[in-house]
């Protein structure tokens, strides 16, 4: 009588149940660690971690969401000396702000925060408007340029070109 080197069906069955138990345990452990991590994450003014937090932080959230997008405004100043040539940069400060779609500029004109001349100049340069502060109480409104010329390096692997293609600069907000 010849003996088979294959394990019996009982051994196969025990192996399958053991493997399933291990995989199930790893899954449950992963879910537990994920819940623990997400419940200890602090979202406050020092840690802007979500689009929803940014949307709630702007002075006019309804206006921003309806006519544009909320944004983080980085304010910094550069000082350049010529003799000797040096560049100095101030500490940046972060402010909640809003970028208005170019199709909604009439809202800014109706609120008297931009003039028709400012709209014409901004449109001639193919820009859009952004503002900081309360739109009803002396906001800081600027004609801003959308720059998409550089790749998003957060999506690009080291030395790679990134996930997908970035839109060309001619696409306007």
């Amino acid at each position: 009588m010849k003996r088979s080197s294959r394990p019996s069906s009982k051994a196969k069955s025990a192996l399958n149940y053991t493997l399933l138990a291990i995989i199930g345990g790893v899954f449950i452990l992963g879910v537990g660690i994920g819940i623990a991590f997400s419940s200890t994450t602090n979202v406050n003014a020092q840690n802007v971690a979500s689009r929803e937090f940014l949307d709630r932080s702007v002075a006019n959230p309804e206006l921003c969401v309806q006519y544009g997008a909320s944004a983080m405004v980085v304010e910094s100043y550069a000082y350049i000396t010529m003799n000797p040539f040096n560049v100095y940069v101030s500490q940046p400060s972060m402010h909640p702000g809003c970028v208005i779609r170019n199709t909604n500029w009439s809202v800014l004109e109706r609120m008297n925060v931009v003039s028709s001349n400012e709209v014409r100049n901004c449109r001639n340069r193919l820009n859009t408007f952004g503002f900081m502060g309360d739109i009803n109480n002396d906001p800081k409104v600027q004609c801003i340029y959308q720059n998409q010329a550089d790749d998003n390096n957060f999506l690009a692997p080291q030395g790679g070109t990134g996930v997908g293609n970035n839109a060309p600069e001619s696409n306007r907000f």
Side-chain angles (χ1 to χ4, degrees), residues 134-157:
D134 186 351
I135 195 73
N136 300 310
N137 189 16
D138 196 31
K140 184 174 183 179
V141 181
Q142 296 175 316
C143 181
I144 56 176
Y145 176 71
Q146 181 179 4
N147 180 3
Q148 294 178 334
D150 199 9
D151 289 335
N152 183 344
N153 292 323
F154 287 101
L155 300 177

Side-chain angles (χ1 to χ4, degrees), residues 9 16 36 58 61 64 67 84-85 89 110 123 125 142 157 161 164 168:
S9 63
N16 286 341
V58 295
C64 265
Y67 298 112
F85 181 80
V89 180
R110 279 195 308 264
R123 181 167 289 142
R125 295 188 308 244
Q142 296 175 316
T161 59

Side-chain angles (χ1 to χ4, degrees), residues 21-35:
I22 291 171
I23 291 172
V26 169
F27 176 74
I28 291 171
L29 181 66
V31 169
I33 290 172
I35 290 171

Side-chain angles (χ1 to χ4, degrees), residues 104-117 119-120 123:
N104 295 321
W105 291 353
S106 60
V107 172
L108 298 176
E109 283 184 289
R110 279 195 308 264
M111 299 178 104
N112 293 322
V113 294
V114 294
S115 68
S116 58
N117 191 35
V119 168
R120 183 175 40 258
R123 181 167 289 142

Side-chain angles (χ1 to χ4, degrees), residues 61-72:
E62 300 85 17
L63 182 106
C64 265
V65 171
Q66 184 174 1
Y67 298 112
S70 51
M72 286 184 279

